[in-house]
Amino acid sequence: MKFSWIGDSLSRFGGDVPGSLRMVSSGVGRPVLMAALVCCLLALPGVCQAGGLFGAPVTYAVGLAPWSVAIADLDGDGDADLAVANNESDTIGILLNQGDGTYAAQVTYGAGDGPVCIAIADLDGDGDADLAVANWRSNNVSVLLNNGNATFAPQVLYTVGAAPWSLTLGDLDGDGDVDLAVPNENANNVSVLLNNGNGTFAAPVDYPAGTNPHSIASGDLDGDGDADLAVANFGSDNVSILLNQGNATFAAQVTYAVVDGAASVAIADLDGDTDPDLAVANFFGGSVSVLLNNGNGTFAAQVSYAAGSMAFSLAIADLDNDTDPDLAVANYGGHNVSILLNNGDATFAPQDIYATNRFPTCVALGDLDGDADVDMAVTSADARNVAVFLNLTRVRGDLNCDGEVNFRDINPFVLALSDPAAYQIAFPDCKILNADINGDGLVNFGDINPFVALLSGPPGRSPGR
């Protein structure tokens, strides 16, 4: 037997542990002592030695037991907003970006019973970002269509299998609109719901997965131009690959072993060979498994890297601006996030640790402050907030990388404009894009006036920092 999570009443553990534990059959006959697991959950956060990639978190109030966060431009103003699934409040919280990586107070919309995962895409083809939410306790998916101004129509509910724990959005049938795929934890299958072309969805078609499927991701894994599915199976300690047969029907699963308690899966080209690889967060293993694509939708044996205690959620993006994808892992039992930087060949440096609030449930990555690097948003079940960590990799106008923008940056700025190669030699730890003051992705004379304006402002760090 294993334990799986229910985003349930906080009172079941005297108000201290967010989420109760439920016995589910793992099919592998390995007993886990409940007392030991509960003691682990009740442990206070340890002292974490953080790396230097992210600044201190800023928190924003949301609902009770926030379980998931997603990032997208919801109001069409060009910056990244947040949507949060509040598990115990049965609501979705919308936090609009104020243009600088700070957020307005949440506005809430009703969801189903026990929302645990949220994803964002243009579901009805009108050009704005809509919401899809997996509701664990009510066995359905909520679809909330954007009215065009980051307000949302009332949810429409679609029934799926027992205990949907995650979802992925993608064009599964190649008709140009966005479909849904949902892993049903208690049904051991995946429900596929095809878009009717207007943001409504056909009845689900179910495909077998492993035991207690917990997370799902979609991408073209075999290079044939259609979207396949990867499913992390919490109970059977493996990943199911379901290859698309070209018409949104899926071949029988092929499974690949990972470590203990596969909780989250993400897809990206980790080794730079143009085909998508897999990364899996292992809850009981406290690790990340990396499975490299053989180029045809089959995968090499996993390579495991240490993460924190109870690795629960995983996201992939280029965090250090070196063009290869890195890993961020929310560690539920460690009360922290692990950052594993890619060495450039799909091997990963030892983790850096960033402390969070208690029981982090989800990490999402995106450029929150508009400075062209990747920031981090983290929900924590015990905190009733979402934490925003801004990336410190680059600071616009800080050309000598001393953490401030002032007159000492003038000569380095001139050098960056006139001879970028010489600038990079003179300041090897700095980013040439620090001179991209106007944010157009280029370093040129168009940055001069904004640089002068930056120097004329208050001393210290540049906007967005």
Side-chain angles (χ1 to χ4, degrees):
M1 305 292 283
K2 280 193 176 179
F3 293 98
S4 185
W5 300 98
I6 302 176
D8 214 335
S9 172
L10 303 185
S11 65
R12 294 195 181 186
F13 281 89
D16 189 47
V17 175
S20 61
L21 298 174
R22 147 179 92 80
M23 295 291 281
V24 294
S25 174
S26 71
V28 293
R30 289 173 297 176
V32 178
L33 291 177
M34 184 172 185
L37 183 55
V38 172
C39 286
C40 181
L41 285 173
L42 291 172
L44 292 175
V47 177
C48 298
Q49 179 61 46
L53 197 61
F54 293 94
V58 177
T59 59
Y60 299 89
V62 291
L64 180 60
W67 213 259
S68 176
V69 58
I71 299 171
D73 182 9
L74 298 176
D75 55 1
D77 64 355
D79 48 40
D81 308 303
L82 304 178
V84 177
N86 299 308
N87 180 268
E88 292 293 336
S89 302
D90 295 337
T91 61
I92 301 304
I94 301 299
L95 295 85
L96 295 182
N97 196 321
Q98 301 183 114
D100 58 357
T102 64
Y103 288 85
Q106 74 162 344
V107 176
T108 60
Y109 297 85
D113 189 2
V116 289
C117 182
I118 188 166
I120 303 176
D122 181 8
L123 299 178
D124 56 359
D126 64 355
D128 48 41
D130 310 303
L131 309 177
V133 185
N135 302 304
W136 196 93
R137 286 187 293 269
S138 52
N139 301 330
N140 53 26
V141 171
S142 301
V143 171
L144 294 85
L145 296 181
N146 196 323
N147 294 319
N149 57 358
T151 66
F152 291 85
Q155 65 175 326
V156 177
L157 294 172
Y158 296 87
T159 299
V160 292
W165 193 262
S166 176
L167 54 81
T168 187
L169 305 178
D171 184 6
L172 301 179
D173 55 1
D175 64 354
D177 49 39
V178 179
D179 309 303
L180 303 176
V182 183
N184 302 302
E185 188 188 31
N186 287 355
N188 298 332
N189 62 20
V190 172
S191 295
V192 172
L193 295 83
L194 297 182
N195 196 321
N196 294 319
N198 59 357
T200 66
F201 291 85
V205 177
D206 296 334
Y207 296 87
T211 304
N212 308 131
H214 211 261
S215 174
I216 191 168
S218 56
D220 183 8
L221 300 177
D222 55 1
D224 64 354
D226 47 40
D228 310 302
L229 302 177
V231 183
N233 300 305
F234 188 89
S236 48
D237 303 331
N238 56 20
V239 175
S240 298
I241 301 300
L242 292 84
L243 295 180
N244 196 322
Q245 300 183 116
N247 56 357
T249 65
F250 292 85
Q253 64 175 323
V254 177
T255 59
Y256 297 86
V258 291
V259 186
D260 196 0
S264 180
V265 61
I267 296 174
D269 180 10
L270 299 176
D271 56 2
D273 65 354
T274 74
D275 49 40
D277 310 300
L278 306 178
V280 179
N282 300 301
F283 182 84
F284 289 106
S287 64
V288 174
S289 294
V290 171
L291 297 86
L292 298 182
N293 197 321
N294 294 320
N296 59 357
T298 67
F299 291 85
Q302 62 139 3
V303 177
S304 180
Y305 296 87
S309 172
M310 301 181 183
F312 193 67
S313 170
L314 182 146
I316 303 177
D318 179 12
L319 300 177
D320 56 359
N321 286 334
D322 64 354
T323 74
D324 49 41
D326 310 300
L327 307 179
V329 184
N331 302 305
Y332 189 95
H335 315 292
N336 54 37
V337 170
S338 299
I339 300 298
L340 292 85
L341 297 180
N342 196 324
N343 293 319
D345 57 358
T347 66
F348 291 85
Q351 62 179 322
D352 283 328
I353 298 294
Y354 295 83
T356 65
N357 288 305
R358 284 160 52 92
F359 309 108
T361 52
C362 182
V363 57
L365 303 174
D367 182 8
L368 302 180
D369 57 359
D371 66 351
D373 53 30
V374 178
D375 309 301
M376 183 165 62
V378 181
T379 51
S380 294
D382 199 30
R384 303 190 190 186
N385 64 36
V386 59
V388 169
F389 294 75
L390 295 182
N391 194 318
L392 304 181
T393 302
R394 64 181 287 252
V395 179
R396 288 181 188 169
D398 179 18
L399 275 300
N400 62 0
C401 292
D402 65 355
E404 296 185 345
V405 179
N406 53 36
F407 288 99
R408 289 189 294 273
D409 296 299
I410 293 177
N411 287 340
F413 177 74
V414 171
L415 182 60
L417 261 62
S418 61
D419 191 342
Y423 169 80
Q424 209 64 78
I425 292 171
F427 299 94
D429 295 327
C430 297
K431 301 290 184 182
I432 188 69
L433 281 179
N434 289 5
D436 175 24
I437 312 301
N438 64 6
D440 64 358
L442 303 172
V443 176
N444 54 32
F445 290 103
D447 297 300
I448 293 176
N449 286 340
F451 181 66
V452 172
L454 199 61
L455 290 178
S456 302
R461 310 194 75 176
S462 65
R465 294 294 185 210

